[in-house]
């Protein structure tokens, strides 16, 4: 672990943004660009070859999720899966109804919900507590007989907070058995239980690009009882829900990535948990005025989100970049609309502290040496910026 | 495609070289809560909630800005724009300094991304406040 990639002096701590492709994935994909290149819809030999591969891949993904092959839809990534989950299912309703989303959803859900609001749908937003955990009482209250869908992110991409999806599913179904439950599991895939039976979800999205697979491939799981309307029309692939020639190399790559995740999940959970704890205590021990954002226990082992008083996020990111570390921020200055992260504000954080946030996300090629050198440099950068900070 | 250089972290910086220089080597900063030199004008704009706060101190003598120091909480362009503004105005007559607008700062910086222009707008406002403060309390 940590040795597969060529040594490079730049330390990437932004695995929540995306992951590099594992070399084993790259090797697995290779023949499917030019040897097994057929279109699975073709009747001839090349088409049949590709069809066999596609079926094998669908079985592998189904097994990974403890689902049936017919429940697995291949998409072009996490965002498309989220869009298809919400818009595809809601096509069943002629009249706008109600949906509930959490206050800390990914933009791929938030923006769809806002679009639905403009179309006349009622969108309720379920609050979270100061640590980012769903307010279960509020969730229960927000669901009524008109609530047709609830979407709650499994592990949040900014703060890494992990929701008890199985428990939330029970709360939802006890209140209204007909309410469909979707979870965005893009950040969860590397580390958490993806068994849809255990989770009690009807729809689940994930993406290859967060699990050391290729970009542009994802999965939507939809249970048997759901009818989904198409988002993309054409040749009728994926049971008509998602037309377009299947991305066989990408799908093969994603399947290889899943195999690796299954093999190393437990070991990576333990290894990264220790690195995360080391980073957090190292930062708290050397820098004053640091806040840890999100629940410290119910959290992914790889995401650390902090706010550093008086130090604006973009400045930290760019000074760290210059020092050879890739991290990210929820500060307004990192995005086009100049508003700080809505996820951080949902925790009840002040806008000032949201501007001072930094996300460090570890991954497969993160090493203890990398963490050590980060801990050596980061306090110096904070001290430097604080010298000329006006707050 | 094969020409993409992924070796270093110097590639395709979102800001100009001038912004980068002032961001990493800010000039005329005030390290403590206020300058350790005598000043006769001070201006502050922005709010922490908005993500930008700028404070500028000036010493005016014989109608010219002799000294300027600043502190900024904000992103790279906010820091760089205050830094370059401090260089621009030292030695300048206050009537000219008052007329500096955001466009002048952006031009000196070799441009800014469109969504960042609002940051530099603050630097000239803080300076005008400092000049007003000088005129009202010291002149």
């Amino acid at each position: 672990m940590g040795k597969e990639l060529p040594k490079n002096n730049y330390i990437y701590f932004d695995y929540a943004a995306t992951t590099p492709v594992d070399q084993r994935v790259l090797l697995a994909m290779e023949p499917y660009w030019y040897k097994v290149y057929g279109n699975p819809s073709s009747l001839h030999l090349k088409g049949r070859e590709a069809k066999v591969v596609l079926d094998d891949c669908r079985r592998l993904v189904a097994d990974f999720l403890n689902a049936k092959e017919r429940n697995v839809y291949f998409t072009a990534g996490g965002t498309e899966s989220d869009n298809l989950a919400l818009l595809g299912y809601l096509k069943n309703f002629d009249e706008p109804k109600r949906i509930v989303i959490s206050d800390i959803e990914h933009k791929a859900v938030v923006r769809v919900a806002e679009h639905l609001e403009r179309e006349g749908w009622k969108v309720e937003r379920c609050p979270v507590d100061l640590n980012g955990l769903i307010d279960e009482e509020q969730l229960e209250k927000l669901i009524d007989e008109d609530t047709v869908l609830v979407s709650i992110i499994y592990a949040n991409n900014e703060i890494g907070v992990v929701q008890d999806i199985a428990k939330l599913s029970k709360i939802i179904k006890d209140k209204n058995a007909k309410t469909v439950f979707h979870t965005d599991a893009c950040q969860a895939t590397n580390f958490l239980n993806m068994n849809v039976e255990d989770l009690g979800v009807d729809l689940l999205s994930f993406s290859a690009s967060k699990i050391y697979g290729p970009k542009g491939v994802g999965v939507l799981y939809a249970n048997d009882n759901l009818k989904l309307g198409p988002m993309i029309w054409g040749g009728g692939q994926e049971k008509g829900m998602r037309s377009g020639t299947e991305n066989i190399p990408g799908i093969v790559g994603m399947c290889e990535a899943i195999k690796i995740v299954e093999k190393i999940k437990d070991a990576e959970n333990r290894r990264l948990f220790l690195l995360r704890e080391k980073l957090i205590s190292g930062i708290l021990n050397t820098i004053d005025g640091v806040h840890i954002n999100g629940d410290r226990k119910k959290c992914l082992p790889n995401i650390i989100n902090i706010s550093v008083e008086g130090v604006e996020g973009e400045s930290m990111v760019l000074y760290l970049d210059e020092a050879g570390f890739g991290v990210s921020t929820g500060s307004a200055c990192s995005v086009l609309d100049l508003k700080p992260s809505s996820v951080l504000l949902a925790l009840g954080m002040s806008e000032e502290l949201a501007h001072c946030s930094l996300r460090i996300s570890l991954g497969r090629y993160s090493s203890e040496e990398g963490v050590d050198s980060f801990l050596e440099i980061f306090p110096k950068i904070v001290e430097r910026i604080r010298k000329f900070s006006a707050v | 495609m094969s020409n993409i250089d992924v070796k270093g972290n110097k590639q395709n910086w979102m800001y100009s070289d001038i912004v980068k220089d002032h961001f990493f080597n800010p000039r005329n900063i005030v390290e403590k809560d206020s300058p350790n030199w005598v000043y006769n004008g001070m201006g502050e704009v922005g709010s922490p909630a908005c993500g930008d706060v700028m404070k500028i101190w000036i010493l005016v003598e014989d109608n010219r800005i002799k000294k300027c120091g600043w502190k900024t909480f904000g992103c790279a362009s906010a820091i760089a724009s205050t830094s370059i503004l401090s260089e621009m105005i030292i030695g300048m007559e206050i009537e000219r300094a008052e007329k500096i607008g955001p466009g002048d700062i952006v031009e000196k910086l070799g441009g800014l991304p469109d969504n960042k222009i609002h940051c530099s707008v603050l630097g000239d406002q803080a300076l005008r406040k400092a000049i007003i403060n000088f005129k009202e309390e010291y002149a």
Side-chain angles (χ1 to χ4, degrees), chain B residues 48-121:
Chain B
C50 297
D52 286 297
V53 181
M54 285 173 197
K55 294 179 181 172
I56 289 183
W57 291 267
I58 51 173
L59 172 66
V60 182
E61 278 177 15
D62 303 331
N63 208 41
R64 280 179 193 274
I65 296 170
K66 277 279 193 208
K67 273 187 180 175
C68 172
W70 57 272
K71 288 180 98 72
T72 289
F73 166 77
C75 59
S77 58
I79 290 160
S81 63
T82 335
S83 174
I84 205 162
L85 175 67
S86 72
E87 278 195 334
M88 285 161 71
I89 62 169
I90 291 176
M92 195 180 265
E93 289 173 355
I94 52 173
E95 287 76 17
R96 271 194 68 203
E98 275 175 329
K99 292 201 178 71
I100 290 174
D104 303 312
I105 300 170
V106 174
E107 199 186 316
K108 272 274 180 193
L109 286 172
L112 280 178
D114 285 346
N115 64 321
K116 295 286 185 175
I117 303 239
H118 85 290
C119 304
S120 65
V121 174

Side-chain angles (χ1 to χ4, degrees), chain A residues 291-359:
Chain A
H291 305 254
I292 308 291
N293 302 324
D295 199 280
R296 231 178 125 171
K297 290 213 180 76
K298 290 175 182 161
C299 183
L300 289 175
N302 71 318
I303 295 183
I304 297 144
N305 194 304
I306 57 171
S307 287
V308 186
E309 289 174 10
V311 187
E312 195 274 332
E314 192 204 74
S315 292
M316 271 190 284
V317 168
L318 295 177
Y319 266 83
L320 280 164
D321 175 57
E322 189 70 3
F325 299 91
V327 296
S328 73
T329 175
S331 160
C333 276
S334 66
V335 290
L336 293 177
D337 61 9
L338 300 169
K339 289 201 187 89
S341 153
S342 61
V343 169
L344 296 178
L345 298 180
L347 308 184
M349 183 184 295
S350 69
E351 290 198 5
E352 178 177 354
L353 277 183
H355 282 296
C356 299
S357 69
L358 192 75
R359 180 187 70 182

Side-chain angles (χ1 to χ4, degrees), chain B residues 124-136:
Chain B
D124 62 300
Q125 289 175 19
L127 172 63
R128 267 192 294 280
K129 279 195 171 181
I131 293 173
I132 290 168
N133 177 242
F134 162 74
K135 286 180 177 168
E136 286 178 351

Side-chain angles (χ1 to χ4, degrees), chain A residues 99-165:
Chain A
I99 67 166
V100 176
I101 65 170
S102 86
D103 244 351
I104 58 166
E105 289 308 291
H106 188 274
K107 280 180 183 166
V109 168
V110 176
R111 296 289 180 253
V112 173
E114 287 169 0
H115 164 74
L116 288 165
E117 267 176 330
R118 289 190 291 272
E119 304 270 298
W121 283 72
K122 178 89 183 141
V123 178
E124 300 285 359
R125 286 160 178 85
C126 182
V128 294
D129 67 13
L130 294 175
N131 286 339
L133 293 161
I134 292 289
D135 183 331
E136 292 169 4
E137 262 175 46
Q138 280 298 320
L139 176 64
E140 205 260 337
K141 275 186 200 150
L142 286 172
I143 293 161
D144 66 12
E145 56 195 18
D146 267 349
T147 308
V148 295
L149 179 137
V150 175
S151 188
I152 295 174
I153 192 164
Y154 192 170
N156 180 269
N157 52 303
E158 290 183 50
I159 51 177
V161 167
V162 175
Q163 309 296 341
D164 187 343
I165 294 295

